[in-house]
Amino acid sequence: MEVFVFSLFNGVLYGMLLFLLASGLTLIFSMMGVLNFAHASFFMLGAYFAYQISQPLGFWSALIAAPILVGLLGAAVERYMLRPVHRFGHVAELLFTFGLAFVIEELVQMVWGKVPVPYDVPESMNITAFAWQGLDYSAYRLFMLVISVGIFVALFFGLTRTRIGLIIRASLTHPHMAAALGHDVPKIFMWTFGVGCALAGIAGVIGGNVLGTEPGMAIQLGPIVFVVIVVGGLGSLSGALIASLFIGILNNMAISYDFSLYPIFKELGVERNVEGVLADLVNLTTGSIAPLLPYLLLVLMLIFRPRGLFGMRDV
Amino acid sequence: MPDPRKLGIGALIVALLIVLPMMISSSFALSVMNQIGIAIIFALAFNMLLGQGGMLSFGHAVYFGLAGFVTAHVINGMHVDAFPYIPVTLIPLVGGIAGLFFGIVVGFVSTRRAGTAFAMISLGFAELVTGLTLIIVFFFGGEEGVQTDRWVREEWFGITYGPDIQVYYLIAAWCVIAAILMYALTRTPFGRMSNAVRDNPERTQFIGYNTHRLRWLAFALSSFFAGLAGALHAINVEHVGFETVGLGQSAVILIMVYIGGTGHFAGPILGAILITLLNAYLSDVSPAWYLYLGLIFVLIVMFAPGGLAGLIMMHEPIRRTAPYLLWQMAPAYGAALGTSLVGLAGAIGLIEMIYFRSTTVSLDSALVLYGIELDTGDIWPWLICAALGAAGGYGCKMTYPRVAEAYSAAMHEARALVTT
Amino acid sequence: MTPAIEFRGVQKNFGPTEVIRGIDLVIQPGEIHAMIGPNGAGKSTLFNLVTGRYHVSAGHIALNGEDITNRAPHDISRKGLSRSFQVTNIFHRMSVYENVRCAMLWNLGYRYKFWQSVRNKRDLTERTDEVLAQTGLSSRSTVLAGLLSYSDQRALEIAITIAGGANVVLLDEPTSGMSSAETEQAVTLIRDISATRTMVIVEHDMGVVFDLADRISVLVYGKIIATGTPAQIRANTKVQEAYLGTDAEP
Ligand SMILES: Nc1ncnc2c1ncn2[C@@H]1O[C@H](COP(=O)(O)OP(=O)(O)OP(=O)(O)O)[C@@H](O)[C@H]1O
Ligand SMILES: [Mg+2]
């Protein structure tokens, strides 16, 4: 029971972290039609900036400053680099962000080196928040959960209760209407991109010290976030939320329970001493295939529901 | 009937491919040429998707790599007589069929969507297969990969594929065959409709075509040629590792093809030659090679979406009507080239110095750049490089508009010549 | 005689909005049937339902006696029904010649063949040249479709529609945005191609409609309020009230 509660807790946490990335990605995609391949790279920059800022100024300054910096950088990238590419179409835009991801990874290596940097959980929160039936739950994880849920709530209210949220939601469903209503669309695009990147930056600040801050972190997390938004249905925020949480929980359950897959094979008439390909498979546990689960989910989704959970527009 | 000019060029290329290895003696250069041949096949296969079918894949190395693994196992099986003998000369076909098989299976699912969704799905499949390489050790050999030995027995004319030069001719021959086949494909009903579904999938449906079928077929055929390239790779290096199916390999082929140019058949060939050469000769010299590659790619996406082939073909109308106009443009182009080189020298200097400081463990050793020993602890190298970069950048700002002017003037004149 | 197209109780809703509210109509083989009605009446939507672009909410549609309700667009196209679009819908990055040739590949049996060149095929070359000549595009055949003038693009739209030799052709506002000289050319072309085909045409230019059509249907708010010969429609008081009174020629 306690294993279940804890892995549920961790799963929700991981899911919310994914959602911080997926929500920004979805906002950008729905507004601009651009899939920001470099989104996870901004997540990585968030972590590195936080590391750099927290060295002299401490974690709390980093928590505020790093996402702002990442957001400004994102806005600048949109304004000066992505916007000129817009006229070449969406594939060119996707290719641009792909190239950007490539370049950011190399730049990060250039500045901070190829090995992980020691970006650590702040001392003050490196304590046990509560212990239950012999399992500890760290204060920092609790803090991460509070932050990500807080941002989710803020985003939700921002989108449903404010004027700018109304415009954004209108552009989600009717991409061309916002322009027709006389809004300065290029500016909205720029700030959407900036805010989306800033959200990824926040995820980097609060996640970097737990997941590890190193040049490979973007390419590790990026594809999972893309799976999230395809499974949720491209352009759907609620789809992204559900898919994030589902993948987060699935992943943690698979790891903490670590079921053996052998019973399934046994049921199929395969014994432990088989040879060939099956020999590698019968001894698998859910923990060892956990990293693959999002992609398996993607394949299943494609077979049974190609548009994703809540996908409307075919893009 | 193919036109005589094209036949002439073809004959010239074949002749060149035959004599080229006789003129060079370094085994490194030979191995680079082998890599180029494989890269050309793979790049052309990739462009069947991207350039001709409008499908952007971030995971096409999956079919290249899987075919490589199958090839390695087939050859290993032949060594122990577990597999009927097939001449190694024809083994690339086995790879092609393996690629085709995986392309048909995966393609059926992934080509149900086009555009951005297709791109994301290709990425998902690539991650899935990469993950499987570490799980299904029986097939992928885990971290070590699969070794093989291409010398099975003597084939026609005493060929054993022991010496590298024989492998070179094997790759060159298959490269020519594959290129011809892929070119021919562009002129079939399938090839034409592949362009149609790229341009306007909706209208394609209303002229009787199932767009999913068309994309699926393009995907499968492209995977066939990718698999052929993968088999040659397995034969060439006698080893297939998990990285051959990975995202890195897929990214490199995408970058290669796009830099070369997706809009012309020869574009990917150009990209494959250029990037493989640069990779072979720069990756050991500079730790920043991938940064440069990424920057070149981004610049091409931003300013020359037709790639290098597109840039060259822009000048084709001028060359055809009035070649002397090209000479008139030369000064402007030359000035732009000069300022670019100055700026590049500065920028490269800065990048190399930063890399040096952040990745070298002992800062006592000096950085050697352009044949000069630099002390990165000193301020002067930084100042000089920054000055060069700034001067070059400023110069480019002055000279680039001239290039545009010279080009449009020449185009204008050429057009005037055509109409009179 | 089996009707070329038959609508039985066809309805279409977009969410709560009823756009087509029960259509029963028979298009006779060989006739030119004009569909008129104010903007937003549902004319294009009706075309989209016949050609499989949208699914119907209720009712049935038959082509030459065969039920085609909610079939895929390519399926319906293969059965000999072809359409043009109100908003030009061509292959922009291919030449005019390629556009036309591609449009006939399926119907001439070339399908997905990847082992046979399209070059030097007599049937393709002749038919492409014929369609280009018919639509007045012969001199533009090597131009990229995206670079054509607007009226040439409209002509290409029609060329793609007729290239496959479909026996039922739907044209959605073929003359929209054309000058009067261009319209005249288009009318000649339409009469020419309708000689051997059944044709349904949506058109706002009443001169064109009354000139070409054998029969006319008037669509208002998703319902057909009258169907008949041009003379009958002209005389129909309901139509005059609802539509012609404000919009038509005297
Ligand atoms: N995909 C859609 N989703 C929602 N509403 C739609 C859709 N397509 C059409 N409509 C609505 O259906 C109604 C009929 O549109 P339709 O295009 O069929 O009119 P039309 O008779 O062709 O008009 P026009 O003469 O302007 O071309 C319009 O009110 C339009 O807004
Ligand atoms: Mg209409």
Side-chain angles (χ1 to χ4, degrees):
Chain A
M1 179 61 197
E2 63 277 9
V3 178
F4 177 79
V5 172
F6 272 78
S7 51
L8 187 69
F9 223 77
N10 281 332
V12 170
L13 180 57
Y14 182 47
M16 288 310 291
L17 209 59
L18 283 178
F19 181 68
L20 272 185
L21 282 153
S23 58
L25 198 58
T26 299
L27 274 184
I28 295 171
F29 178 78
S30 321
M31 297 272 302
M32 312 172 57
V34 182
L35 197 106
N36 181 17
F37 201 94
H39 207 70
S41 309
F42 287 100
F43 158 79
M44 172 162 74
L45 284 180
Y48 272 98
F49 286 178
Y51 160 71
Q52 201 66 58
I53 294 168
S54 64
Q55 294 293 49
L57 298 177
F59 177 77
W60 299 103
S61 319
L63 181 62
I64 306 293
I68 293 178
L69 275 181
V70 174
L72 289 176
L73 190 70
V77 162
E78 199 285 331
R79 173 67 189 80
Y80 295 104
M81 298 172 86
L82 187 58
R83 201 176 292 177
V85 179
H86 188 69
R87 66 200 151 108
F88 302 137
H90 290 325
V91 169
E93 289 174 310
L94 178 55
L95 281 169
F96 167 77
T97 58
F98 164 74
L100 186 68
F102 200 93
V103 169
I104 289 179
E105 184 175 330
E106 293 300 318
L107 284 176
V108 162
Q109 290 188 19
M110 179 171 101
V111 178
W112 286 284
K114 291 185 201 252
V115 289
V117 293
Y119 173 41
D120 294 322
V121 172
E123 285 293 316
S124 58
M125 280 187 290
N126 207 357
I127 49 169
T128 306
F130 58 90
W132 187 47
Q133 310 232 346
L135 287 166
D136 292 351
Y137 207 84
S138 95
Y140 188 70
R141 283 183 177 261
L142 204 62
F143 164 77
M144 282 168 79
L145 194 63
V146 170
I147 292 276
S148 50
V149 171
I151 286 176
F152 168 67
V153 172
L155 203 64
F156 181 77
F157 277 99
L159 280 176
T160 51
R161 299 288 156 82
T162 65
R163 214 178 90 82
I164 185 81
L166 204 66
I167 298 172
I168 289 176
R169 276 191 307 145
S171 338
L172 295 188
T173 42
H174 301 88
H176 303 293
M177 274 314 273
L181 292 174
H183 296 291
D184 182 352
V185 173
K187 210 171 201 168
I188 297 180
F189 277 9
M190 184 174 93
W191 289 118
T192 307
F193 203 88
V195 169
C197 291
L199 287 175
I202 296 176
V205 178
I206 63 175
N209 42 16
V210 175
L211 300 170
T213 302
E214 39 114 10
M217 66 193 290
I219 199 63
Q220 261 168 30
L221 199 61
I224 299 179
V225 179
F226 296 135
V227 168
V228 164
I229 65 165
V230 173
V231 167
L234 277 175
S236 162
L237 265 179
S238 30
L241 178 65
I242 290 174
S244 301
L245 288 174
F246 184 73
I247 288 179
I249 293 170
L250 183 71
N251 187 58
N252 274 278
M253 294 282 173
I255 292 174
S256 37
Y257 280 101
D258 207 14
F259 288 120
S260 166
L261 296 184
Y262 177 60
I264 302 175
F265 285 100
K266 195 171 177 190
E267 206 55 33
L268 296 170
V270 181
E271 286 303 322
R272 266 202 204 275
N273 52 6
V274 289
E275 297 198 350
V277 181
L278 285 174
D280 293 322
L281 297 179
V282 284
N283 294 319
L284 285 178
T285 60
T286 53
S288 59
I289 60 164
L292 292 186
L293 290 177
Y295 307 109
L296 286 173
L297 184 67
L298 174 76
V299 174
L300 288 180
M301 187 56 107
L302 283 172
I303 292 171
F304 296 110
R305 204 181 152 87
R307 274 158 188 251
L309 286 177
F310 294 98
M312 290 170 298
R313 271 187 287 153
D314 200 25
V315 272
Chain B
M1 223 18 243
D3 80 81
R5 225 193 72 181
K6 276 185 190 155
L7 277 182
I9 295 177
L12 210 70
I13 291 175
V14 171
L16 192 71
L17 286 177
I18 292 174
V19 298
L20 210 56
M22 301 171 184
M23 299 189 309
I24 51 169
S25 51
S26 118
S27 69
F28 179 68
L30 192 69
S31 85
V32 171
M33 288 203 297
N34 287 354
Q35 285 175 35
I36 290 178
I38 294 166
I40 287 176
I41 303 176
F42 192 14
L44 285 172
F46 186 80
N47 203 40
M48 276 176 75
L49 284 187
L50 179 61
Q52 278 142 29
M55 283 177 274
L56 170 57
S57 167
F58 289 114
H60 213 46
V62 164
Y63 311 95
F64 175 87
L66 284 178
F69 280 107
V70 169
T71 307
H73 286 300
V74 167
I75 295 179
N76 289 347
M78 282 167 14
H79 277 291
V80 296
D81 291 324
F83 210 86
Y85 174 72
I86 304 167
V88 173
T89 312
L90 299 180
I91 282 287
L93 283 179
V94 173
I97 290 165
L100 181 68
F101 170 77
F102 292 113
I104 287 174
V105 174
V106 178
F108 177 76
V109 184
S110 62
T111 57
R112 289 170 82 164
R113 310 283 306 268
T116 306
F118 172 83
M120 291 305 102
I121 291 159
S122 68
L123 186 71
F125 272 109
E127 286 286 283
L128 188 59
V129 174
T130 309
L132 287 177
T133 56
L134 298 180
I135 290 178
I136 308 181
V137 179
F138 173 78
F139 181 73
F140 294 106
E143 302 257 356
E144 292 101 67
V146 178
Q147 297 281 350
T148 186
D149 174 6
R150 67 196 177 209
W151 187 337
V152 181
R153 65 175 81 156
E154 200 172 300
E155 294 175 18
W156 303 291
F157 312 116
I159 293 171
T160 58
Y161 297 113
D164 280 344
I165 186 78
Q166 295 184 354
V167 177
Y168 166 83
Y169 284 115
L170 177 76
I171 292 171
W174 276 108
C175 183
V176 170
I177 294 170
I180 291 173
L181 285 178
M182 282 188 265
Y183 184 68
L185 269 178
T186 61
R187 308 181 147 212
T188 61
F190 151 75
R192 298 286 133 171
M193 290 314 297
S194 192
N195 290 351
V197 80
R198 168 198 71 197
D199 280 6
N200 189 343
E202 177 172 56
R203 188 66 192 245
T204 308
Q205 298 182 290
F206 290 93
I207 55 178
Y209 280 88
N210 181 333
T211 51
H212 175 216
R213 286 274 166 84
L214 274 172
R215 284 195 293 261
W216 185 22
L217 184 57
F219 193 90
L221 290 173
S222 165
S223 302
F224 172 84
F225 288 103
L228 198 123
L232 286 169
H233 171 76
I235 295 171
N236 184 34
V237 298
E238 300 185 295
H239 171 255
V240 189
F242 67 93
E243 71 287 343
T244 42
V245 297
L247 286 185
Q249 182 87 8
S250 295
V252 167
I253 197 71
L254 163 60
I255 288 175
M256 235 179 225
V257 168
Y258 201 81
I259 289 177
T262 56
H264 296 273
F265 186 78
I269 302 179
L270 195 64
I273 296 174
L274 192 76
I275 302 303
T276 313
L277 275 178
L278 287 176
N279 185 40
Y281 290 98
L282 286 187
S283 59
D284 287 341
V285 183
S286 165
W289 152 241
Y290 276 109
L291 177 61
Y292 300 139
L293 184 62
L295 288 174
I296 297 173
F297 177 72
V298 168
L299 287 177
I300 293 268
V301 174
M302 287 180 69
F303 299 108
L308 296 177
L311 287 178
I312 295 170
M313 294 306 286
M314 264 172 71
H315 298 84
E316 189 57 16
I318 302 175
R319 193 193 61 80
R320 215 180 296 144
T321 44
Y324 67 88
L325 286 174
L326 292 177
W327 289 110
Q328 288 179 12
M329 296 157 72
Y333 280 54
L337 184 68
T339 52
S340 307
L341 287 178
V342 173
L344 269 181
I348 290 174
L350 288 176
I351 291 173
E352 293 291 331
M353 286 192 291
I354 298 175
Y355 249 105
F356 185 76
R357 288 194 71 89
S358 66
T359 55
T360 313
V361 195
S362 100
L363 284 175
D364 298 335
S365 58
L367 169 68
V368 181
L369 192 69
Y370 310 129
I372 309 164
E373 268 198 24
L374 295 180
D375 178 6
T376 56
D378 203 2
I379 184 100
W380 284 110
W382 297 88
L383 277 183
I384 293 172
C385 286
L388 279 176
Y394 182 74
C396 288
K397 224 177 149 183
M398 310 305 292
T399 53
Y400 277 39
R402 290 287 153 74
V403 170
E405 271 167 36
Y407 175 76
S408 52
M411 270 306 266
H412 192 78
E413 223 176 305
R415 226 175 262 135
L417 282 174
V418 172
T419 45
T420 53
Chain C
M1 214 166 22
T2 34
I5 306 178
E6 186 180 2
F7 297 86
R8 271 183 289 124
V10 172
Q11 292 178 27
K12 177 68 185 172
N13 316 326
F14 289 111
T17 345
E18 298 180 353
V19 173
I20 300 293
R21 302 182 302 152
I23 298 264
D24 292 279
L25 177 67
V26 166
I27 309 287
Q28 296 299 347
E31 74 170 328
I32 304 186
H33 197 107
M35 191 77 70
I36 62 174
N39 289 108
K43 306 179 293 292
S44 299
T45 303
L46 204 55
F47 274 20
N48 289 333
L49 293 174
V50 187
T51 55
R53 199 187 197 191
Y54 297 160
H55 281 194
V56 302
S57 304
H60 290 276
I61 303 172
L63 175 70
N64 299 323
E66 185 184 351
D67 186 64
I68 55 161
T69 319
N70 296 347
R71 301 286 277 271
H74 56 87
D75 240 358
I76 295 171
S77 161
R78 291 172 195 173
K79 294 187 190 306
L81 182 132
S82 169
R83 69 169 295 184
S84 76
F85 290 80
Q86 185 173 353
V87 178
T88 309
N89 204 344
I90 57 183
F91 304 104
H92 285 90
R93 285 168 61 193
M94 307 197 316
S95 71
V96 170
Y97 190 89
E98 281 302 337
N99 267 271
V100 174
R101 186 164 63 180
C102 279
M104 68 184 63
L105 285 175
W106 186 275
N107 283 354
L108 294 190
Y110 288 92
R111 304 181 175 216
Y112 301 109
K113 284 182 187 171
F114 56 86
W115 52 87
Q116 195 176 73
S117 169
V118 286
R119 309 216 314 166
N120 309 318
K121 290 280 178 294
R122 275 270 298 283
D123 52 346
L124 285 179
T125 325
E126 277 173 13
R127 175 100 186 108
T128 307
D129 287 337
E130 184 189 335
V131 172
L132 286 173
Q134 199 175 9
T135 49
L137 288 168
S138 300
S139 64
R140 328 275 306 145
S141 70
T142 58
V143 182
L144 278 192
L147 302 179
L148 286 177
S149 71
Y150 176 77
S151 64
D152 280 344
Q153 286 191 347
R154 293 304 297 170
L156 180 58
E157 178 74 40
I158 295 178
I160 294 173
T161 308
I162 61 170
N167 57 27
V168 182
V169 169
L170 316 184
L171 300 180
D172 198 347
E173 306 203 14
T175 69
S176 72
M178 288 189 172
S179 70
S180 58
E182 289 163 350
T183 301
E184 214 165 289
Q185 271 184 344
V187 170
T188 320
L189 168 64
I190 292 165
R191 186 171 285 129
D192 187 21
I193 56 187
S194 68
T196 54
R197 296 177 175 88
T198 308
M199 182 178 286
V200 185
I201 176 170
V202 168
E203 189 49 73
H204 279 299
D205 185 329
M206 289 307 136
V208 174
V209 168
F210 284 92
D211 189 13
L212 276 173
D214 299 319
R215 289 199 305 153
I216 298 172
S217 288
V218 185
L219 191 65
V220 178
Y221 291 122
K223 264 190 146 35
I224 290 182
I225 59 166
T227 297
T229 61
Q232 288 169 337
I233 292 297
R234 220 185 292 247
N236 189 315
T237 47
K238 239 165 65 186
V239 176
Q240 281 170 1
E241 275 169 31
Y243 186 64
L244 287 181
T246 54
D247 209 69
E249 50 172 9

